[in-house]
Amino acid sequence: MGLQNTINGLDEFFEGESNTTYWIGYDKDIPFAFRITSPEGNDATTLDLFICDLNYWGKGMAVPMIQEFLISKFANVKKILIDPEATNTRAIHVYQKVGFKIVGEFIASWHPVPHYQMELYMKNLNHLQNNDKTWE
């Protein structure tokens, strides 16, 4: 269901019927990550992240990549919301290292398994040095 929602969202985006933004993460010229953001009310943005190239898993790149992305694109947003599956301990660990806090648990209508609602207040995010990642 989650993948179908992403595909449906892309269709709406290309038809000009969406406020969702799609980002591709590059390491130099190599695309390796896909990110989806969407405004949530006046002071928040949602975030979904997929590291699509398995060669980038476990390299310690996710935390600085997420932090740099959020600082460069969402410095003026109050908070960032993310909702990983509760069983996705690897992602949850990374998000907690970024600074996200678990604030609730829910069963998603689009994917009926437990998810955590996590949030990050941008004022708490530490600024990082450039680590040669480009987001477009």
Side-chain angles (χ1 to χ4, degrees), residues 23-130:
W23 312 79
I24 297 174
Y26 290 87
D27 177 15
K28 299 181 181 41
D29 293 332
I30 301 169
F32 72 97
F34 182 62
R35 183 179 305 269
I36 305 169
T37 60
S38 182
E40 184 73 25
N42 294 327
D43 65 352
T45 287
T46 64
L47 171 67
D48 280 312
L49 168 67
F50 309 94
I51 296 182
C52 306
D53 185 333
L54 299 182
N55 293 318
Y56 285 84
W57 284 26
K59 304 287 186 203
M61 298 171 60
V63 171
M65 175 188 65
I66 294 167
Q67 290 174 323
E68 180 182 330
F69 175 74
L70 294 177
I71 289 166
S72 68
K73 302 297 183 189
F74 297 100
N76 295 326
V77 173
K78 182 177 178 181
K79 66 182 171 180
I80 308 297
L81 307 171
I82 197 161
D83 59 359
E85 286 185 27
T87 58
N88 191 346
T89 56
R90 176 180 285 207
I92 293 163
H93 174 74
V94 167
Y95 300 145
Q96 288 175 323
K97 286 180 75 173
V98 170
F100 283 88
K101 305 288 185 218
I102 297 172
V103 295
E105 187 173 334
F106 67 99
I107 304 290
S109 61
W110 65 89
H111 191 194
V113 299
H115 286 71
Y116 286 135
Q117 177 65 48
M118 300 179 77
E119 63 184 31
L120 168 72
Y121 284 87
M122 287 298 292
K123 69 180 182 182
N124 298 331
L125 189 60
N126 295 326
H127 292 276
L128 299 176
Q129 296 176 330
N130 184 350

Side-chain angles (χ1 to χ4, degrees), residues 6-18:
T6 300
I7 292 168
N8 294 344
L10 282 166
D11 287 341
E12 291 173 5
F13 174 77
F14 287 119
E15 293 170 5
E17 300 172 1
S18 174

